[in-house]
Amino acid sequence: MANTNTITIQRRVQWMDTDAAGIWHHSVVIRWLEEAEADLHRRLGVSDRTFGATPRVRTEFTFATSVQFDDLVDVTLTVSALGETSITYHLEVRRGTTAVASGRVIAVLIDRETGEKRPWPDDLRQLLAP
Amino acid sequence: MANTNTITIQRRVQWMDTDAAGIWHHSVVIRWLEEAEADLHRRLGVSDRTFGATPRVRTEFTFATSVQFDDLVDVTLTVSALGETSITYHLEVRRGTTAVASGRVIAVLIDRETGEKRPWPDDLRQLLAP
Amino acid sequence: MANTNTITIQRRVQWMDTDAAGIWHHSVVIRWLEEAEADLHRRLGVSDRTFGATPRVRTEFTFATSVQFDDLVDVTLTVSALGETSITYHLEVRRGTTAVASGRVIAVLIDRETGEKRPWPDDLRQLLAP
Amino acid sequence: MANTNTITIQRRVQWMDTDAAGIWHHSVVIRWLEEAEADLHRRLGVSDRTFGATPRVRTEFTFATSVQFDDLVDVTLTVSALGETSITYHLEVRRGTTAVASGRVIAVLIDRETGEKRPWPDDLRQLLAP
């Protein structure tokens, strides 16, 4: 069975993503994560039900090296766990074979009206579970 | 009568606002404009009725010089015109007596439900008119 | 002869590009412009000589309609004029056949050491001229 | 002796900091952290030696609740540890008495020329140590 809950996208470090140290600003990793997440959820046909309904409760990133303007990176996002109401992503960013950054992000599904946590509906659970 | 439709705020160029040229990225001017706009509208007691209901239809900025990390600037925002449905702002950014950037931004008031343009209500008109 | 000084890229409105009005924030147009500019200059093989050396002196954008999370847009950037030291870009953003935004941006070539304006070298002029 | 290595700044959630869920985007916490860090380092007189020379190697944030446009928050940054070459910050974000977010960020001092890690000079160590 094909693994539906992982995705790799390619991105370039843009000029706006750099800072006066001459390299990327580390916060760009959050943009890349969300762009991979959007592509993954679109492919699964669930982005209209998940985006804006899965606030982050925890983010962790480790940075191994820096990248520069115009560098090309592979951004791999994988669903690593699905709890009663939570989803955990694992992120890897590589430039060629060089590890740039890795991360773990935990979000929870909420009811958009009340803002309260709610269990994953069965169909979303089946699509997103690792 | 005090001029109620102009405001000056002070801001520093933050590290995130710089790029690999070692100076600010010009797009920061939009952040500063909106922070001044929010302060002005809060002072007038109207921000809950205007923010998210005044999409920009035109932005123009001229850049005279650049600023760097930690530079302190004065950002002056003034309502320069109020049309049937539109509002025009004039922006000046200075570092001390040095002109850094100036701009003109035109927004229109919309009905949040329909997204359609609508005339300024009398009370908003009175508060915002130059 | 192929027109070398225009490029069209496709982009999606990302979640980070939206604001509490439920639509994109207009400043995203600057990110798209720069991503098209980077692709164009990379294709011409000049990005290491132009990026960080062409500060903006003027930006103008007109917004015709808004776009939303996950919308797909075509971003077309064209060099419309090349002066002694300046370059003028024209930008068009469309969602399908709908005009979203257009813009005009003027930058000048500077000497990275002195920060002073300088004339376009012949090879850059030949590659970039419309 | 006054505690020199902690600082609290006040910030408002700006319109650009929100997303289509109607609340802040969690990445704003990085901006606030860096603005507090810049104020702290400026007060200690070291920002020209530390900014651009202390890349992040680890960031961790926990989000307890969300904030909205125009909300006022207190952002408290404290140096919690100083290693041979590293600095660890602890961050707390509160809206009134409500905990919004907390975080831990580890950076390392590098030599700007070589990009290699280097031990804290004695004077920086004395100023920054908790």
Side-chain angles (χ1 to χ4, degrees), chain D residues 23 27-28 31 37 47 49 63 89-90 92 95 97 107-109 116-117 119-120 124-125 128:
Chain D
I23 55 172
S27 60
V28 181
R31 173 172 284 275
E37 190 184 354
S47 48
R49 294 167 66 193
F63 302 96
Y89 293 105
H90 181 71
E92 291 287 339
R95 185 189 60 236
T97 56
V108 292
L109 184 68
E116 295 300 312
K117 286 194 289 186
W120 289 101
L124 287 183
R125 176 173 295 281
L128 289 167

Side-chain angles (χ1 to χ4, degrees), chain C residues 10-24:
Chain C
Q10 284 205 317
R11 285 297 181 272
R12 284 203 185 262
V13 178
Q14 300 296 334
W15 187 254
M16 290 184 81
D17 299 336
T18 62
D19 66 29
I23 56 172
W24 75 326

